[in-house]
Amino acid sequence: MTQPDATTAGIPSGVRDGFDKREWVGEGGPVEDGPGRTAAERRARRDEVPWDVARALAHAVARPGAVVRRGLDEADGCVLATPLVSPVAVPPVDRAAMDGYAVRGAGPWCVVGQVKAGTADPGELADGQATGIVTGAAMPAGATSVVRSEDATVTGDRLHGPSEDGRHIRRAGEECRPGDQLLPAGVVIDPAVLGLAATLGLNRLTVIAPPTVAAVITGDELVRQGPSTPGRVRDAIGPMLPGLITRSGAEPAASVLHLPDSLDQLVSALRETQADLILVSGSSASGPADHLRPALKALGAELIVDGVACRPGHPQALAQLPDGRLVIGLPGNPFAALVAFLTLGVAAITRMRGLPLPELTNIAVPGGIPCHPTSTRLVPVRLTAQGAVPVGHGGAAMLRGPATADALAVVAPGPAEAIAARLLPLNPGDRPWGG
């Protein structure tokens, strides 16, 4: 049996098995050496891990953040670290569920007063008595029902209307009682959860601290204003990353940092950046200006993923620095960088938030999508009643396709066309369909 090395220590065995067989690319078997392929090219292809394995590795190697207490105004999007348990009954007393009249017994009734919303002691009704009441106000002792305003007829101090015991009353503890567990740990906090916590009288929640993510863009050729020119390329990745980070449930550590193609500057940036995860774009391939791997080596990082068998986005990387921070290398082509973030970045952030890696739902592809023989394809698609339809413009350097798509179709390797695929959300904050 293959023994796990330092890179795979602590990784679930099923994921580790896929990593230990990383000479296999995708699901199409081992890559055969072709004529004219260099030794470096053959090694690079063998080192590529299957797309699903890369995604699982990124999730497995990340660690959930610290457990902290946050105020309700800071907890939106965080994950509950402990169950949400009610400290009180909700409502604490019987309350009127409608505007109208609280009554006791059968009518007609004698109207004896009015209970306002903020009344602490609404008193007590005798049999045959009624009092005006507003929605949410505490019910007088002895009241048996509420007659709605629209059903009531009042002549002098006499009230007539339909009455049914218990009608239009919210009973004490109807929503929950003290000690009831309302939500388990692991729930993503959304506005409804915040409202529920406030209903319980809570001011703070125990959550997993969301990870901080920094973004570094490298490239001498990049410009940040105006269009591309023959010798210059407009940076399209830098504007994407802050939104991707926040939509993933993480917090940007700082503004996007732009660096020239400099090994020394990249080493300094990786050493000095204070973030749980650092994204580096434009240095992940193997060209003379690609300094990510030498920088990681200089810092003593473990290279966990060195290429992924997917198209686009195969020259992506995942490493762990000695202090535990993660570094993800994104390709320099915009769509390839997006794919890499959705593959490795989202998986790592999901685990850092304390969440499981979601399963991706299957969908029919009525027109079929050509498979790659050894790599997973990520194809921009629109969703229709019949299934997923490719939108085109899915080249590594193109963003027109993903900008007009609803999702990416994850097309497994194979010899022909896929008539079904899985769906990967383009918005990392979306829940996978059917998941």
Side-chain angles (χ1 to χ4, degrees):
M1 176 182 294
T2 304
Q3 295 298 316
D5 57 24
T7 302
T8 59
I11 295 174
S13 60
V15 177
R16 189 171 60 238
D17 290 344
F19 185 89
D20 291 336
K21 297 175 181 178
R22 56 191 178 272
E23 70 274 14
W24 294 77
V25 179
E27 300 170 10
V31 173
E32 298 179 359
D33 292 339
R37 186 175 293 168
T38 66
E41 288 171 333
R42 290 194 295 270
R43 181 193 61 78
R45 292 298 298 275
R46 286 196 298 270
D47 285 348
E48 288 183 357
V49 298
W51 184 80
D52 284 289
V53 174
R55 187 168 173 257
L57 281 168
H59 187 266
V61 76
R63 292 292 176 264
V67 174
V68 297
R69 296 275 291 169
R70 280 198 170 187
L72 300 189
D73 59 342
E74 299 177 315
D76 188 22
C78 294
V79 175
L80 285 176
T82 58
L84 182 62
V85 177
S86 177
V88 296
V90 178
V93 297
D94 290 354
R95 295 191 186 279
M98 292 283 180
D99 292 341
Y101 296 85
V103 301
R104 179 170 181 174
W109 304 271
C110 178
V111 178
V112 295
Q114 176 76 30
V115 178
K116 298 180 179 180
T119 301
D121 181 8
E124 181 176 1
L125 292 179
D127 192 45
Q129 288 185 330
T131 183
I133 199 165
V134 296
T135 301
M139 293 287 290
T144 54
S145 68
V146 171
V147 178
R148 299 188 306 168
S149 294
E150 53 265 45
D151 297 329
T153 301
V154 179
T155 304
D157 64 354
R158 304 299 290 177
L159 168 68
H160 297 262
S163 172
E164 178 183 343
D165 281 356
R167 186 68 169 165
H168 304 313
I169 297 176
R170 290 189 62 208
R171 295 298 185 186
E174 179 178 284
E175 186 167 359
C176 61
R177 298 183 179 279
D180 284 354
Q181 179 177 313
L182 307 185
L183 295 172
V187 168
V188 178
I189 297 169
D190 61 15
V193 174
L194 294 174
L196 175 60
T199 299
L200 302 176
L202 301 176
N203 298 318
R204 304 177 73 81
L205 290 171
T206 303
V207 303
I208 297 173
T212 54
V213 180
V216 179
I217 308 295
T218 67
D220 292 335
E221 78 283 7
L222 297 180
V223 294
R224 297 163 61 188
Q225 297 287 335
S228 299
T229 63
R232 309 287 274 172
V233 178
R234 176 66 185 268
D235 171 32
I237 298 174
M240 285 198 300
L241 291 181
L244 289 170
I245 291 167
T246 56
R247 283 170 170 79
S248 299
E251 296 179 347
S255 300
V256 175
L257 176 64
H258 291 80
L259 296 179
D261 289 318
S262 164
L263 175 59
D264 290 343
Q265 290 193 45
L266 182 56
V267 169
S268 296
L270 292 177
R271 181 186 292 118
E272 297 168 6
T273 298
Q274 298 301 308
D276 301 307
L277 172 63
I278 306 172
L279 306 171
V280 180
S281 171
S283 297
S284 65
S286 303
D290 295 309
H291 299 302
L292 178 60
R293 284 163 182 79
L296 292 171
K297 183 177 180 180
L299 294 170
E302 284 188 65
L303 193 57
I304 297 166
V305 173
D306 189 5
V308 177
C310 68
R311 300 295 184 272
H314 66 93
Q316 52 186 289
L318 169 67
Q320 188 167 41
L321 296 168
D323 60 8
R325 291 175 297 152
L326 295 182
V327 178
I328 291 178
L330 307 177
N333 280 318
F335 184 28
L338 175 60
V339 166
F341 181 86
L342 297 176
T343 301
L344 298 178
V346 172
I349 291 170
T350 298
R351 179 70 185 280
M352 290 174 172
R353 297 177 66 204
L355 296 171
L357 188 63
E359 296 289 332
L360 304 181
T361 192
N362 289 296
I363 191 170
V365 183
I369 297 177
C371 300
H372 187 281
T374 58
S375 295
T376 298
R377 292 191 65 202
L378 286 301
V379 180
V381 294
R382 284 199 186 98
L383 305 182
T384 71
Q386 291 72 40
V389 178
V391 300
H393 303 285
M398 300 179 183
L399 288 175
R400 179 176 172 180
T404 57
D406 298 316
L408 298 182
V410 181
V411 182
E417 288 195 344
I419 59 173
R422 289 174 294 161
L423 288 178
L424 181 68
L426 277 163
N427 181 345
D430 287 344
R431 296 178 181 177
W433 295 265

